[in-house]
Amino acid sequence: MSTNEREPIGVIGTGYVGLVTAAGFAELGSDVYCIDIDADKIEGLKQGRIPIWEPGLDELVERHRDRLHFSTDLSEALEHARLLFVAVGTPPTYSGDADLSAVHAVVDAMPASDRHALVMKSTVPCGTGEAIKRAFREQGKEGFRYVSCPEFLKEGSAIKDFLEPDRVVIGDDGDWAGDAVAELYAPLEAPLVRTDIKSAEMVKLASNAFLATKISFINEIANVCEETGADVVEVARGMGLDDRIGPKFLQAGIGYGGSCFPKDVSALKQLAGNSGYHFQLLNAVIEVNELQKRRVMSKLHKYLGTLVGKQIALLGLAFKPNTDDMREASSLVLSARLQAAGAKVRAYDPVAEEEARKLLQGVDFVASAEAAAEGADAVVLVTEWPEFRELDLRVLAESMRGTLLVDGRNFLDPDAVAAAGLAYEGVGRPTVAGRPSIAEAAV
């Protein structure tokens, strides 16, 4: 292989992590052999259909169609690539442990080889690498190498995160495989953490658990702010200027969700418990997050009393903006609680409706925020989609039956909401009563 030629790689699993990883390495110049057991998904990818919504991903895949090869046949990847990146799902089981059945299926499918290596992108518990290497030995595949290379992609900005990473973590046994993975990432010129396999596995879990802890902490501060009259947005601004703390993940709201934080926090807590250690802090982080999703209900009851027969509009359903991911979204809990209390729920999301329809029962889906608000007794902003900043709040207020707007992400300007005649309820912020317009006041 010449110095200008990029090494071809295999990617097993074409979900969120796998597809972004494949497209990212194709952008860097590698031929990528993408393997998945879902024949329909593979056929769709061959035809240019992207199964997930991620800004810029469809353009990147289209640009590198000549480098991206999709198949259900593992032998294609084994033939062309020595590095096989594993990006299969590891969802939580009922016990809280990670379900590693897909990972072990990949391990079992590998041939005896001394020229291949598995590179683990899937989030797995600390100790998984040792278990996989033991399985290789038991199956007579001692030559197969193993590398832990956790992903740190944020949904909504995953392409940028891949191409401009804040670090690359590689855990290996100090052999050719780790060197080869480091060489693949070298053009990105990111800080490299080259460490042992167990430490690399722990970096991923610990990072997400810490970020989730910051979110739950600021949400607890927000709840205290509501009792004392302080404004959590100002509190977070003052805290974030301390470079030991920083401003990121200090946005109070109605809780975190998605595919990573809930799963990884629970997995780390379970890992600690299985190891004989009671991780008390993470118990609190999880509890705070679950309760936070329900605090909207008390705000609605405060203004509306009983919710029986009330029309509630939900703006945004995905767990965060710029994604269609509904996993562990706050809207799932909120819509269920509202309907249990007798309310009628109307909802709008600019991207996630198709996914939301699979999970939300009894919800009336509409085509715009304005349509959701029409005749509503209250509007709840659940996901901070940028388009919601451009809403004509006066038009929104005039179409509503009630006057309450609950800003579950502290995304809107409270004074602008009040000027439109609506009562503003944020998270950890003082209530701002609706004010009549100048014309109305003159009358």
Side-chain angles (χ1 to χ4, degrees), residues 277-311:
Y277 181 74
H278 181 56
F279 208 140
Q280 297 185 66
L281 179 59
L282 290 188
N283 283 325
V285 168
I286 294 167
E287 181 181 6
V288 168
N289 193 59
E290 289 306 307
L291 293 174
Q292 198 70 14
K293 296 176 182 179
R294 292 165 168 78
R295 286 182 65 86
V296 170
M297 298 296 293
S298 64
K299 296 178 185 294
L300 293 170
H301 283 300
K302 171 184 167 184
Y303 281 83
L304 304 178
T306 179
L307 297 183
V308 175
K310 297 297 195 303
Q311 182 78 51

PDB file of all heavy atoms in Angstrom, residues 277-311:
ATOM      1  N   TYR A 277     -19.814  -2.764  43.853  1.00  0.00           N
ATOM      2  CA  TYR A 277     -19.759  -1.371  44.301  1.00  0.00           C
ATOM      3  C   TYR A 277     -21.098  -0.700  44.038  1.00  0.00           C
ATOM      4  O   TYR A 277     -21.651  -0.787  42.945  1.00  0.00           O
ATOM      5  CB  TYR A 277     -18.652  -0.595  43.585  1.00  0.00           C
ATOM      6  CG  TYR A 277     -18.560   0.845  44.044  1.00  0.00           C
ATOM      7  CD1 TYR A 277     -18.026   1.162  45.280  1.00  0.00           C
ATOM      8  CD2 TYR A 277     -19.050   1.875  43.253  1.00  0.00           C
ATOM      9  CE1 TYR A 277     -17.970   2.465  45.727  1.00  0.00           C
ATOM     10  CE2 TYR A 277     -18.999   3.192  43.682  1.00  0.00           C
ATOM     11  CZ  TYR A 277     -18.454   3.476  44.922  1.00  0.00           C
ATOM     12  OH  TYR A 277     -18.406   4.776  45.365  1.00  0.00           O
ATOM     13  N   HIS A 278     -21.609   0.012  45.032  1.00  0.00           N
ATOM     14  CA  HIS A 278     -22.892   0.714  44.922  1.00  0.00           C
ATOM     15  C   HIS A 278     -22.624   2.149  44.490  1.00  0.00           C
ATOM     16  O   HIS A 278     -22.126   2.961  45.271  1.00  0.00           O
ATOM     17  CB  HIS A 278     -23.627   0.686  46.265  1.00  0.00           C
ATOM     18  CG  HIS A 278     -24.958   1.373  46.240  1.00  0.00           C
ATOM     19  ND1 HIS A 278     -25.954   1.026  45.356  1.00  0.00           N
ATOM     20  CD2 HIS A 278     -25.449   2.398  46.987  1.00  0.00           C
ATOM     21  CE1 HIS A 278     -27.006   1.796  45.568  1.00  0.00           C
ATOM     22  NE2 HIS A 278     -26.718   2.642  46.535  1.00  0.00           N
ATOM     23  N   PHE A 279     -22.952   2.475  43.257  1.00  0.00           N
ATOM     24  CA  PHE A 279     -22.665   3.797  42.684  1.00  0.00           C
ATOM     25  C   PHE A 279     -23.823   4.730  43.045  1.00  0.00           C
ATOM     26  O   PHE A 279     -24.748   4.951  42.265  1.00  0.00           O
ATOM     27  CB  PHE A 279     -22.522   3.679  41.159  1.00  0.00           C
ATOM     28  CG  PHE A 279     -21.629   4.715  40.535  1.00  0.00           C
ATOM     29  CD1 PHE A 279     -20.765   4.372  39.509  1.00  0.00           C
ATOM     30  CD2 PHE A 279     -21.645   6.037  40.960  1.00  0.00           C
ATOM     31  CE1 PHE A 279     -19.945   5.312  38.915  1.00  0.00           C
ATOM     32  CE2 PHE A 279     -20.827   6.986  40.379  1.00  0.00           C
ATOM     33  CZ  PHE A 279     -19.974   6.623  39.353  1.00  0.00           C
ATOM     34  N   GLN A 280     -23.764   5.329  44.232  1.00  0.00           N
ATOM     35  CA  GLN A 280     -24.889   6.097  44.740  1.00  0.00           C
ATOM     36  C   GLN A 280     -25.207   7.314  43.888  1.00  0.00           C
ATOM     37  O   GLN A 280     -26.378   7.663  43.672  1.00  0.00           O
ATOM     38  CB  GLN A 280     -24.609   6.546  46.176  1.00  0.00           C
ATOM     39  CG  GLN A 280     -24.460   5.387  47.148  1.00  0.00           C
ATOM     40  CD  GLN A 280     -24.313   5.862  48.572  1.00  0.00           C
ATOM     41  OE1 GLN A 280     -25.230   6.434  49.135  1.00  0.00           O
ATOM     42  NE2 GLN A 280     -23.141   5.641  49.151  1.00  0.00           N
ATOM     43  N   LEU A 281     -24.179   7.996  43.392  1.00  0.00           N
ATOM     44  CA  LEU A 281     -24.397   9.216  42.633  1.00  0.00           C
ATOM     45  C   LEU A 281     -25.230   8.951  41.385  1.00  0.00           C
ATOM     46  O   LEU A 281     -26.145   9.721  41.066  1.00  0.00           O
ATOM     47  CB  LEU A 281     -23.049   9.832  42.246  1.00  0.00           C
ATOM     48  CG  LEU A 281     -23.104  11.121  41.415  1.00  0.00           C
ATOM     49  CD1 LEU A 281     -23.854  12.211  42.161  1.00  0.00           C
ATOM     50  CD2 LEU A 281     -21.695  11.581  41.062  1.00  0.00           C
ATOM     51  N   LEU A 282     -24.944   7.866  40.679  1.00  0.00           N
ATOM     52  CA  LEU A 282     -25.685   7.591  39.458  1.00  0.00           C
ATOM     53  C   LEU A 282     -27.139   7.208  39.741  1.00  0.00           C
ATOM     54  O   LEU A 282     -28.020   7.459  38.907  1.00  0.00           O
ATOM     55  CB  LEU A 282     -24.997   6.488  38.648  1.00  0.00           C
ATOM     56  CG  LEU A 282     -23.672   6.885  38.000  1.00  0.00           C
ATOM     57  CD1 LEU A 282     -23.183   5.791  37.056  1.00  0.00           C
ATOM     58  CD2 LEU A 282     -23.784   8.204  37.251  1.00  0.00           C
ATOM     59  N   ASN A 283     -27.402   6.609  40.874  1.00  0.00           N
ATOM     60  CA  ASN A 283     -28.790   6.368  41.263  1.00  0.00           C
ATOM     61  C   ASN A 283     -29.561   7.683  41.322  1.00  0.00           C
ATOM     62  O   ASN A 283     -30.696   7.788  40.852  1.00  0.00           O
ATOM     63  CB  ASN A 283     -28.864   5.667  42.625  1.00  0.00           C
ATOM     64  CG  ASN A 283     -28.552   4.189  42.541  1.00  0.00           C
ATOM     65  OD1 ASN A 283     -28.894   3.540  41.560  1.00  0.00           O
ATOM     66  ND2 ASN A 283     -27.901   3.649  43.559  1.00  0.00           N
ATOM     67  N   ALA A 284     -28.930   8.703  41.912  1.00  0.00           N
ATOM     68  CA  ALA A 284     -29.569  10.012  42.021  1.00  0.00           C
ATOM     69  C   ALA A 284     -29.727  10.672  40.653  1.00  0.00           C
ATOM     70  O   ALA A 284     -30.755  11.297  40.362  1.00  0.00           O
ATOM     71  CB  ALA A 284     -28.759  10.917  42.949  1.00  0.00           C
ATOM     72  N   VAL A 285     -28.720  10.541  39.808  1.00  0.00           N
ATOM     73  CA  VAL A 285     -28.780  11.123  38.459  1.00  0.00           C
ATOM     74  C   VAL A 285     -29.975  10.562  37.701  1.00  0.00           C
ATOM     75  O   VAL A 285     -30.737  11.301  37.061  1.00  0.00           O
ATOM     76  CB  VAL A 285     -27.467  10.836  37.697  1.00  0.00           C
ATOM     77  CG1 VAL A 285     -27.619  11.175  36.213  1.00  0.00           C
ATOM     78  CG2 VAL A 285     -26.319  11.621  38.304  1.00  0.00           C
ATOM     79  N   ILE A 286     -30.152   9.258  37.763  1.00  0.00           N
ATOM     80  CA  ILE A 286     -31.255   8.601  37.060  1.00  0.00           C
ATOM     81  C   ILE A 286     -32.598   9.035  37.643  1.00  0.00           C
ATOM     82  O   ILE A 286     -33.547   9.345  36.907  1.00  0.00           O
ATOM     83  CB  ILE A 286     -31.094   7.074  37.139  1.00  0.00           C
ATOM     84  CG1 ILE A 286     -29.852   6.632  36.359  1.00  0.00           C
ATOM     85  CG2 ILE A 286     -32.335   6.358  36.605  1.00  0.00           C
ATOM     86  CD1 ILE A 286     -29.438   5.201  36.620  1.00  0.00           C
ATOM     87  N   GLU A 287     -32.694   9.067  38.976  1.00  0.00           N
ATOM     88  CA  GLU A 287     -33.958   9.435  39.624  1.00  0.00           C
ATOM     89  C   GLU A 287     -34.356  10.870  39.290  1.00  0.00           C
ATOM     90  O   GLU A 287     -35.516  11.151  38.972  1.00  0.00           O
ATOM     91  CB  GLU A 287     -33.839   9.263  41.138  1.00  0.00           C
ATOM     92  CG  GLU A 287     -35.125   9.596  41.875  1.00  0.00           C
ATOM     93  CD  GLU A 287     -35.008   9.443  43.380  1.00  0.00           C
ATOM     94  OE1 GLU A 287     -33.887   9.183  43.868  1.00  0.00           O
ATOM     95  OE2 GLU A 287     -36.032   9.594  44.066  1.00  0.00           O
ATOM     96  N   VAL A 288     -33.390  11.785  39.358  1.00  0.00           N
ATOM     97  CA  VAL A 288     -33.668  13.187  39.034  1.00  0.00           C
ATOM     98  C   VAL A 288     -34.186  13.306  37.608  1.00  0.00           C
ATOM     99  O   VAL A 288     -35.152  14.025  37.328  1.00  0.00           O
ATOM    100  CB  VAL A 288     -32.404  14.057  39.225  1.00  0.00           C
ATOM    101  CG1 VAL A 288     -32.604  15.447  38.617  1.00  0.00           C
ATOM    102  CG2 VAL A 288     -32.065  14.171  40.703  1.00  0.00           C
ATOM    103  N   ASN A 289     -33.565  12.598  36.686  1.00  0.00           N
ATOM    104  CA  ASN A 289     -33.964  12.692  35.290  1.00  0.00           C
ATOM    105  C   ASN A 289     -35.379  12.180  35.072  1.00  0.00           C
ATOM    106  O   ASN A 289     -36.148  12.771  34.310  1.00  0.00           O
ATOM    107  CB  ASN A 289     -32.989  11.919  34.410  1.00  0.00           C
ATOM    108  CG  ASN A 289     -33.156  12.239  32.946  1.00  0.00           C
ATOM    109  OD1 ASN A 289     -33.024  13.390  32.531  1.00  0.00           O
ATOM    110  ND2 ASN A 289     -33.465  11.237  32.145  1.00  0.00           N
ATOM    111  N   GLU A 290     -35.726  11.094  35.724  1.00  0.00           N
ATOM    112  CA  GLU A 290     -37.079  10.553  35.563  1.00  0.00           C
ATOM    113  C   GLU A 290     -38.118  11.493  36.151  1.00  0.00           C
ATOM    114  O   GLU A 290     -39.178  11.722  35.556  1.00  0.00           O
ATOM    115  CB  GLU A 290     -37.172   9.172  36.220  1.00  0.00           C
ATOM    116  CG  GLU A 290     -36.406   8.096  35.468  1.00  0.00           C
ATOM    117  CD  GLU A 290     -36.812   8.014  34.012  1.00  0.00           C
ATOM    118  OE1 GLU A 290     -38.021   7.889  33.739  1.00  0.00           O
ATOM    119  OE2 GLU A 290     -35.933   8.109  33.136  1.00  0.00           O
ATOM    120  N   LEU A 291     -37.830  12.065  37.302  1.00  0.00           N
ATOM    121  CA  LEU A 291     -38.779  12.985  37.926  1.00  0.00           C
ATOM    122  C   LEU A 291     -38.903  14.278  37.131  1.00  0.00           C
ATOM    123  O   LEU A 291     -39.982  14.880  37.059  1.00  0.00           O
ATOM    124  CB  LEU A 291     -38.349  13.294  39.365  1.00  0.00           C
ATOM    125  CG  LEU A 291     -38.416  12.117  40.345  1.00  0.00           C
ATOM    126  CD1 LEU A 291     -37.841  12.511  41.693  1.00  0.00           C
ATOM    127  CD2 LEU A 291     -39.858  11.635  40.505  1.00  0.00           C
ATOM    128  N   GLN A 292     -37.799  14.711  36.513  1.00  0.00           N
ATOM    129  CA  GLN A 292     -37.806  15.976  35.778  1.00  0.00           C
ATOM    130  C   GLN A 292     -38.793  15.936  34.616  1.00  0.00           C
ATOM    131  O   GLN A 292     -39.443  16.935  34.312  1.00  0.00           O
ATOM    132  CB  GLN A 292     -36.392  16.286  35.271  1.00  0.00           C
ATOM    133  CG  GLN A 292     -36.174  17.734  34.887  1.00  0.00           C
ATOM    134  CD  GLN A 292     -36.152  18.662  36.089  1.00  0.00           C
ATOM    135  OE1 GLN A 292     -36.047  18.220  37.223  1.00  0.00           O
ATOM    136  NE2 GLN A 292     -36.263  19.943  35.835  1.00  0.00           N
ATOM    137  N   LYS A 293     -38.900  14.801  33.971  1.00  0.00           N
ATOM    138  CA  LYS A 293     -39.810  14.673  32.837  1.00  0.00           C
ATOM    139  C   LYS A 293     -41.255  14.875  33.263  1.00  0.00           C
ATOM    140  O   LYS A 293     -42.113  15.228  32.435  1.00  0.00           O
ATOM    141  CB  LYS A 293     -39.652  13.298  32.194  1.00  0.00           C
ATOM    142  CG  LYS A 293     -38.278  13.036  31.577  1.00  0.00           C
ATOM    143  CD  LYS A 293     -38.173  11.620  31.050  1.00  0.00           C
ATOM    144  CE  LYS A 293     -36.792  11.331  30.485  1.00  0.00           C
ATOM    145  NZ  LYS A 293     -36.653   9.941  29.993  1.00  0.00           N
ATOM    146  N   ARG A 294     -41.539  14.650  34.543  1.00  0.00           N
ATOM    147  CA  ARG A 294     -42.916  14.718  35.028  1.00  0.00           C
ATOM    148  C   ARG A 294     -43.276  16.071  35.640  1.00  0.00           C
ATOM    149  O   ARG A 294     -44.434  16.317  35.945  1.00  0.00           O
ATOM    150  CB  ARG A 294     -43.149  13.602  36.052  1.00  0.00           C
ATOM    151  CG  ARG A 294     -43.120  12.206  35.430  1.00  0.00           C
ATOM    152  CD  ARG A 294     -42.994  11.118  36.479  1.00  0.00           C
ATOM    153  NE  ARG A 294     -43.253   9.795  35.923  1.00  0.00           N
ATOM    154  CZ  ARG A 294     -42.394   9.090  35.199  1.00  0.00           C
ATOM    155  NH1 ARG A 294     -41.198   9.592  34.942  1.00  0.00           N
ATOM    156  NH2 ARG A 294     -42.708   7.907  34.729  1.00  0.00           N
ATOM    157  N   ARG A 295     -42.287  16.942  35.818  1.00  0.00           N
ATOM    158  CA  ARG A 295     -42.560  18.216  36.488  1.00  0.00           C
ATOM    159  C   ARG A 295     -43.435  19.142  35.638  1.00  0.00           C
ATOM    160  O   ARG A 295     -44.075  20.052  36.174  1.00  0.00           O
ATOM    161  CB  ARG A 295     -41.251  18.915  36.856  1.00  0.00           C
ATOM    162  CG  ARG A 295     -40.548  18.270  38.049  1.00  0.00           C
ATOM    163  CD  ARG A 295     -39.289  19.016  38.423  1.00  0.00           C
ATOM    164  NE  ARG A 295     -39.549  20.365  38.886  1.00  0.00           N
ATOM    165  CZ  ARG A 295     -39.852  20.711  40.140  1.00  0.00           C
ATOM    166  NH1 ARG A 295     -39.967  19.766  41.053  1.00  0.00           N
ATOM    167  NH2 ARG A 295     -40.053  21.961  40.463  1.00  0.00           N
ATOM    168  N   VAL A 296     -43.457  18.906  34.344  1.00  0.00           N
ATOM    169  CA  VAL A 296     -44.349  19.699  33.488  1.00  0.00           C
ATOM    170  C   VAL A 296     -45.796  19.542  33.943  1.00  0.00           C
ATOM    171  O   VAL A 296     -46.588  20.490  33.877  1.00  0.00           O
ATOM    172  CB  VAL A 296     -44.197  19.271  32.016  1.00  0.00           C
ATOM    173  CG1 VAL A 296     -45.278  19.908  31.139  1.00  0.00           C
ATOM    174  CG2 VAL A 296     -42.821  19.653  31.489  1.00  0.00           C
ATOM    175  N   MET A 297     -46.133  18.363  34.411  1.00  0.00           N
ATOM    176  CA  MET A 297     -47.515  18.110  34.826  1.00  0.00           C
ATOM    177  C   MET A 297     -47.954  19.060  35.936  1.00  0.00           C
ATOM    178  O   MET A 297     -49.072  19.587  35.912  1.00  0.00           O
ATOM    179  CB  MET A 297     -47.674  16.657  35.280  1.00  0.00           C
ATOM    180  CG  MET A 297     -47.402  15.630  34.198  1.00  0.00           C
ATOM    181  SD  MET A 297     -48.566  15.722  32.810  1.00  0.00           S
ATOM    182  CE  MET A 297     -50.081  15.211  33.627  1.00  0.00           C
ATOM    183  N   SER A 298     -47.072  19.309  36.895  1.00  0.00           N
ATOM    184  CA  SER A 298     -47.446  20.197  37.997  1.00  0.00           C
ATOM    185  C   SER A 298     -47.645  21.623  37.506  1.00  0.00           C
ATOM    186  O   SER A 298     -48.507  22.353  38.018  1.00  0.00           O
ATOM    187  CB  SER A 298     -46.385  20.153  39.099  1.00  0.00           C
ATOM    188  OG  SER A 298     -45.144  20.651  38.634  1.00  0.00           O
ATOM    189  N   LYS A 299     -46.884  22.040  36.494  1.00  0.00           N
ATOM    190  CA  LYS A 299     -47.059  23.382  35.934  1.00  0.00           C
ATOM    191  C   LYS A 299     -48.414  23.490  35.231  1.00  0.00           C
ATOM    192  O   LYS A 299     -49.098  24.511  35.327  1.00  0.00           O
ATOM    193  CB  LYS A 299     -45.916  23.699  34.965  1.00  0.00           C
ATOM    194  CG  LYS A 299     -44.541  23.747  35.626  1.00  0.00           C
ATOM    195  CD  LYS A 299     -43.446  24.007  34.588  1.00  0.00           C
ATOM    196  CE  LYS A 299     -42.055  23.930  35.223  1.00  0.00           C
ATOM    197  NZ  LYS A 299     -41.820  25.007  36.187  1.00  0.00           N
ATOM    198  N   LEU A 300     -48.793  22.448  34.529  1.00  0.00           N
ATOM    199  CA  LEU A 300     -50.085  22.459  33.859  1.00  0.00           C
ATOM    200  C   LEU A 300     -51.229  22.456  34.862  1.00  0.00           C
ATOM    201  O   LEU A 300     -52.220  23.197  34.711  1.00  0.00           O
ATOM    202  CB  LEU A 300     -50.192  21.253  32.924  1.00  0.00           C
ATOM    203  CG  LEU A 300     -49.236  21.262  31.723  1.00  0.00           C
ATOM    204  CD1 LEU A 300     -49.269  19.911  31.007  1.00  0.00           C
ATOM    205  CD2 LEU A 300     -49.594  22.379  30.750  1.00  0.00           C
ATOM    206  N   HIS A 301     -51.122  21.633  35.896  1.00  0.00           N
ATOM    207  CA  HIS A 301     -52.168  21.596  36.930  1.00  0.00           C
ATOM    208  C   HIS A 301     -52.288  22.947  37.629  1.00  0.00           C
ATOM    209  O   HIS A 301     -53.391  23.381  37.988  1.00  0.00           O
ATOM    210  CB  HIS A 301     -51.867  20.495  37.947  1.00  0.00           C
ATOM    211  CG  HIS A 301     -52.189  19.118  37.463  1.00  0.00           C
ATOM    212  ND1 HIS A 301     -53.455  18.725  37.087  1.00  0.00           N
ATOM    213  CD2 HIS A 301     -51.392  18.024  37.286  1.00  0.00           C
ATOM    214  CE1 HIS A 301     -53.440  17.458  36.715  1.00  0.00           C
ATOM    215  NE2 HIS A 301     -52.204  17.010  36.819  1.00  0.00           N
ATOM    216  N   LYS A 302     -51.181  23.618  37.842  1.00  0.00           N
ATOM    217  CA  LYS A 302     -51.172  24.919  38.519  1.00  0.00           C
ATOM    218  C   LYS A 302     -52.064  25.925  37.799  1.00  0.00           C
ATOM    219  O   LYS A 302     -52.777  26.711  38.431  1.00  0.00           O
ATOM    220  CB  LYS A 302     -49.727  25.425  38.588  1.00  0.00           C
ATOM    221  CG  LYS A 302     -49.552  26.858  39.057  1.00  0.00           C
ATOM    222  CD  LYS A 302     -48.088  27.249  38.986  1.00  0.00           C
ATOM    223  CE  LYS A 302     -47.878  28.744  39.144  1.00  0.00           C
ATOM    224  NZ  LYS A 302     -46.446  29.125  38.968  1.00  0.00           N
ATOM    225  N   TYR A 303     -52.050  25.892  36.479  1.00  0.00           N
ATOM    226  CA  TYR A 303     -52.826  26.850  35.692  1.00  0.00           C
ATOM    227  C   TYR A 303     -54.205  26.332  35.299  1.00  0.00           C
ATOM    228  O   TYR A 303     -55.171  27.100  35.245  1.00  0.00           O
ATOM    229  CB  TYR A 303     -52.062  27.218  34.411  1.00  0.00           C
ATOM    230  CG  TYR A 303     -50.969  28.223  34.631  1.00  0.00           C
ATOM    231  CD1 TYR A 303     -49.722  27.825  35.073  1.00  0.00           C
ATOM    232  CD2 TYR A 303     -51.185  29.583  34.410  1.00  0.00           C
ATOM    233  CE1 TYR A 303     -48.706  28.739  35.283  1.00  0.00           C
ATOM    234  CE2 TYR A 303     -50.176  30.510  34.612  1.00  0.00           C
ATOM    235  CZ  TYR A 303     -48.932  30.084  35.047  1.00  0.00           C
ATOM    236  OH  TYR A 303     -47.937  31.003  35.269  1.00  0.00           O
ATOM    237  N   LEU A 304     -54.284  25.048  35.000  1.00  0.00           N
ATOM    238  CA  LEU A 304     -55.498  24.509  34.408  1.00  0.00           C
ATOM    239  C   LEU A 304     -56.350  23.703  35.371  1.00  0.00           C
ATOM    240  O   LEU A 304     -57.486  23.357  35.040  1.00  0.00           O
ATOM    241  CB  LEU A 304     -55.133  23.621  33.202  1.00  0.00           C
ATOM    242  CG  LEU A 304     -54.295  24.279  32.097  1.00  0.00           C
ATOM    243  CD1 LEU A 304     -53.986  23.257  31.001  1.00  0.00           C
ATOM    244  CD2 LEU A 304     -55.003  25.491  31.518  1.00  0.00           C
ATOM    245  N   GLY A 305     -55.813  23.404  36.553  1.00  0.00           N
ATOM    246  CA  GLY A 305     -56.545  22.524  37.448  1.00  0.00           C
ATOM    247  C   GLY A 305     -56.591  21.132  36.864  1.00  0.00           C
ATOM    248  O   GLY A 305     -55.573  20.587  36.445  1.00  0.00           O
ATOM    249  N   THR A 306     -57.772  20.550  36.804  1.00  0.00           N
ATOM    250  CA  THR A 306     -57.873  19.227  36.187  1.00  0.00           C
ATOM    251  C   THR A 306     -57.524  19.305  34.715  1.00  0.00           C
ATOM    252  O   THR A 306     -57.795  20.294  34.036  1.00  0.00           O
ATOM    253  CB  THR A 306     -59.289  18.645  36.352  1.00  0.00           C
ATOM    254  OG1 THR A 306     -59.325  17.359  35.711  1.00  0.00           O
ATOM    255  CG2 THR A 306     -60.330  19.550  35.704  1.00  0.00           C
ATOM    256  N   LEU A 307     -56.922  18.238  34.216  1.00  0.00           N
ATOM    257  CA  LEU A 307     -56.563  18.191  32.803  1.00  0.00           C
ATOM    258  C   LEU A 307     -57.577  17.396  31.979  1.00  0.00           C
ATOM    259  O   LEU A 307     -57.410  17.252  30.769  1.00  0.00           O
ATOM    260  CB  LEU A 307     -55.175  17.562  32.637  1.00  0.00           C
ATOM    261  CG  LEU A 307     -54.013  18.325  33.283  1.00  0.00           C
ATOM    262  CD1 LEU A 307     -52.689  17.631  32.974  1.00  0.00           C
ATOM    263  CD2 LEU A 307     -53.968  19.774  32.812  1.00  0.00           C
ATOM    264  N   VAL A 308     -58.608  16.917  32.618  1.00  0.00           N
ATOM    265  CA  VAL A 308     -59.622  16.142  31.917  1.00  0.00           C
ATOM    266  C   VAL A 308     -60.271  17.006  30.828  1.00  0.00           C
ATOM    267  O   VAL A 308     -60.799  18.092  31.105  1.00  0.00           O
ATOM    268  CB  VAL A 308     -60.700  15.621  32.885  1.00  0.00           C
ATOM    269  CG1 VAL A 308     -61.820  14.926  32.109  1.00  0.00           C
ATOM    270  CG2 VAL A 308     -60.092  14.661  33.895  1.00  0.00           C
ATOM    271  N   GLY A 309     -60.185  16.518  29.608  1.00  0.00           N
ATOM    272  CA  GLY A 309     -60.786  17.227  28.489  1.00  0.00           C
ATOM    273  C   GLY A 309     -59.982  18.399  27.967  1.00  0.00           C
ATOM    274  O   GLY A 309     -60.365  19.024  26.975  1.00  0.00           O
ATOM    275  N   LYS A 310     -58.868  18.710  28.595  1.00  0.00           N
ATOM    276  CA  LYS A 310     -58.041  19.832  28.150  1.00  0.00           C
ATOM    277  C   LYS A 310     -57.230  19.433  26.915  1.00  0.00           C
ATOM    278  O   LYS A 310     -56.828  18.288  26.760  1.00  0.00           O
ATOM    279  CB  LYS A 310     -57.095  20.288  29.265  1.00  0.00           C
ATOM    280  CG  LYS A 310     -57.797  20.831  30.510  1.00  0.00           C
ATOM    281  CD  LYS A 310     -58.596  22.068  30.205  1.00  0.00           C
ATOM    282  CE  LYS A 310     -59.000  22.840  31.471  1.00  0.00           C
ATOM    283  NZ  LYS A 310     -59.761  22.061  32.438  1.00  0.00           N
ATOM    284  N   GLN A 311     -56.998  20.424  26.042  1.00  0.00           N
ATOM    285  CA  GLN A 311     -56.208  20.207  24.825  1.00  0.00           C
ATOM    286  C   GLN A 311     -54.799  20.739  25.060  1.00  0.00           C
ATOM    287  O   GLN A 311     -54.614  21.926  25.319  1.00  0.00           O
ATOM    288  CB  GLN A 311     -56.835  20.945  23.644  1.00  0.00           C
ATOM    289  CG  GLN A 311     -56.128  20.744  22.322  1.00  0.00           C
ATOM    290  CD  GLN A 311     -56.468  19.410  21.683  1.00  0.00           C
ATOM    291  OE1 GLN A 311     -57.630  19.052  21.540  1.00  0.00           O
ATOM    292  NE2 GLN A 311     -55.456  18.652  21.310  1.00  0.00           N
TER     293      GLN A 311
END
